[in-house]
Amino acid sequence: MKKNDGLNISEQFLLENAKKLKGIPDTPVKGRVIPLRLGFTFGAVAAALAAVLVFRLQPSENTDLFADVTSEEVYQYYDSGLIDVETDLLMEYTSVDDFTVEIDPNEEELDLLLDDLNDEELYNILN
Amino acid sequence: MHNEDRIWLAYNAGDYRKAFEALVDIQQGQLLRIILRIVGDEDEAMDVLQDTFIKIWKNLASFKGGSKWSTWTYRIASNEALMHLRKKKKFLTTSDPIVTEQLTAGSFFDGDDALAALYSALDKLPAKQRLVFQMKYFDDLPYAEIAQITNTSVGALKASYHHAVKKIEAEVSNFKPGGHSDIKEVS
């Protein structure tokens, strides 16, 4: 049974806000997720990231695998055309349904996403 | 007509707009709760809610029915909220109000001191553990559904909930006047 979470959100407020939300299909999308600006999808970035990891996950003295990886570098690996890695499982966004999330490699979003996976999880995914 | 059926009816007819509007009508309130409880600040929560529905609209046509509509939308909302919190924390200073302070000072909060104490205890959990606890404790979602939402195994979720309950019990035991000292693990 649901418990009271102490949040009282009035029906009137929701009705008013619903009007705004229902206008989303008529509004050009502009948000924290930047669509089409660089013309590649999250899946592509994930693939690029996986390629970087393949290079970086070799035995090394360096315990911080991402210390030197920049978002630009990830994109360069992808852009080089050397990568063909299935990495849908890499990110939680893509597992329930196969929708794509486009991100800007110049923003911090990729770094933030990386924080979700520890080195062992990444290694297990890639091996 | 069941809520999910209303969405499917429009969706299967190819009327994505109508399906989206049904999603807004049916899911908005619960998604706002999920987001608010993670983000705390009401204005920020409204922004995250809007971003959530933008993402839902953008990806609506690719939804294949691998889960319930509610599971899919909860997942997007919780990811958006967690992402927002991570970004926000990068810029927080020690003098900035934390989630509970913002939540309990907001116009939507009408809980008592016991509930405020519970939220305060939740503040000390990692964000994802807090999310799991809230979905189980407040929303009474089954583990299997939370597992889909958070992309975590049921076993890991049970362990996470167990740890959360222990931590919260220790925190709220300092708060005597009734209310939420009844936190129990749910199997």
Side-chain angles (χ1 to χ4, degrees), chain A residues 2-87:
Chain A
K2 285 189 177 186
K3 290 187 180 62
N4 175 26
D5 64 1
L7 296 174
N8 183 10
I9 306 168
S10 74
E11 284 301 313
Q12 186 59 36
F13 177 86
L14 292 175
L15 279 173
E16 288 297 317
N17 198 54
K19 289 178 192 166
K20 290 183 204 165
L21 294 175
K22 288 177 181 177
I24 284 173
D26 303 320
T27 310
V29 174
K30 187 182 180 186
R32 288 180 289 111
V33 175
I34 301 174
L36 303 177
R37 197 164 106 190
L38 291 170
F40 62 94
T41 64
F42 176 78
V45 175
L49 172 62
V52 174
L53 293 175
V54 168
F55 285 110
R56 304 257 172 189
L57 282 173
Q58 305 304 319
S60 163
E61 294 299 313
N62 185 3
T63 54
D64 182 359
L65 293 167
F66 303 106
D68 305 318
V69 182
T70 65
S71 300
E72 289 77 12
E73 194 176 2
V74 172
Y75 182 69
Q76 282 166 13
Y77 277 109
Y78 169 71
D79 205 31
S80 69
L82 296 171
I83 303 154
D84 184 16
V85 186
E86 281 293 327
T87 52

Side-chain angles (χ1 to χ4, degrees), chain B residues 69-128:
Chain B
W69 285 103
S70 59
T71 306
W72 184 61
T73 55
Y74 284 19
R75 183 184 180 83
I76 296 173
S78 54
N79 277 328
E80 286 293 305
L82 292 173
M83 181 71 75
H84 176 84
L85 198 64
R86 280 188 220 113
K87 281 185 172 177
K88 181 179 169 182
K89 280 187 172 173
K90 281 199 163 185
F91 301 102
L92 284 181
T93 68
T94 51
S95 60
D96 284 321
I98 50 178
V99 170
T100 295
E101 197 175 324
Q102 291 177 317
L103 186 71
T104 54
S107 61
F108 292 133
F109 187 77
D110 70 352
D112 56 15
D113 289 346
L115 203 46
L118 174 58
Y119 275 114
S120 185
L122 287 172
D123 243 352
K124 292 169 183 159
L125 301 179
K128 197 162 180 179

Side-chain angles (χ1 to χ4, degrees), chain B residues 167-184:
Chain B
K167 285 183 201 169
I168 290 166
E169 275 179 343
E171 288 289 330
V172 296
S173 64
N174 298 323
F175 184 87
K176 296 294 181 192
H180 290 269
S181 56
D182 62 335
I183 297 166
K184 294 279 189 293

